[in-house]
């Protein structure tokens, strides 16, 4: 049986998520059925197959107002962390992209 690859990585990650990890996550749209959007998220807690995460975006609004700094390939970008937790399962995690260090405020 062949494992299908998506943009250079396996369909499901074999790494275990831990609090303060940053992962790419498939967040489903609530109105469009089987559609989803991939975005980075900070892992808040892990309990068996239930994982609490907070979405990360570059646009500030009332739901995304906690500033964090992302450094990627020597490019520093101001981003914002959601104030709301989202609950996802392991199958929605794509791959780990980093860790958050609150003391430095950097990913």
């Amino acid at each position: 049986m062949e494992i299908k690859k998506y943009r250079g990585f396996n369909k499901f990650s074999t790494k275990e998520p831990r609090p303060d990890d940053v992962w790419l996550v498939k967040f489903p749209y609530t109105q469009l059925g089987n559609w989803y959007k991939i975005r980075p998220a900070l892992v808040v807690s892990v309990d068996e197959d239930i994982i609490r995460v907070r979405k990360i975006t570059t646009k500030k609004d009332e739901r995304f107002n906690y500033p964090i700094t992302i450094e990627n390939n020597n490019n520093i970008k101001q981003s914002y962390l959601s104030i709301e937790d989202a609950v996802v399962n392991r199958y929605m995690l794509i791959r780990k992209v980093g860790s958050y260090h609150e003391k430095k405020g950097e990913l």
Side-chain angles (χ1 to χ4, degrees):
M1 183 172 157
E2 182 179 335
I3 297 176
K4 293 185 178 181
K5 300 260 183 177
Y6 293 87
R7 296 185 189 181
F9 48 87
N10 290 338
K11 186 174 179 182
F12 302 113
S13 177
T14 57
K15 293 183 180 178
E16 291 293 319
R18 292 181 291 181
D20 296 332
D21 283 350
V22 177
W23 283 70
L24 289 180
V25 180
K26 288 196 281 187
F27 288 100
Y29 286 118
T30 56
Q31 299 172 346
L32 298 176
N34 292 332
W35 293 76
Y36 59 87
K37 181 174 184 178
I38 296 173
R39 72 167 55 224
L42 177 69
V43 175
V44 176
S45 67
V46 179
D47 183 30
E48 305 249 341
D49 284 335
I50 298 173
I51 301 154
R52 290 192 178 276
V53 298
R54 290 193 176 177
K55 298 176 187 177
I56 298 172
T57 185
T58 56
K59 296 178 183 174
K60 183 178 180 180
D61 67 18
E62 63 276 353
R63 294 178 303 135
F64 297 91
N65 63 4
Y66 183 78
I68 59 174
T69 303
I70 295 177
E71 184 175 344
N72 187 7
N73 297 332
N74 295 326
N75 293 326
I76 297 174
K77 194 171 213 179
Q78 182 65 48
S79 297
Y80 300 93
L81 190 63
S82 172
I83 59 172
E84 300 171 351
D85 289 353
V87 177
V88 298
N89 60 38
R90 292 183 190 278
Y91 300 107
M92 298 167 86
L93 300 177
I94 297 174
R95 68 182 168 112
K96 181 180 174 183
V97 294
S99 295
Y100 178 68
H101 306 287
E102 191 171 351
K103 291 178 185 174
K104 295 181 183 177
E106 299 176 351
L107 295 178

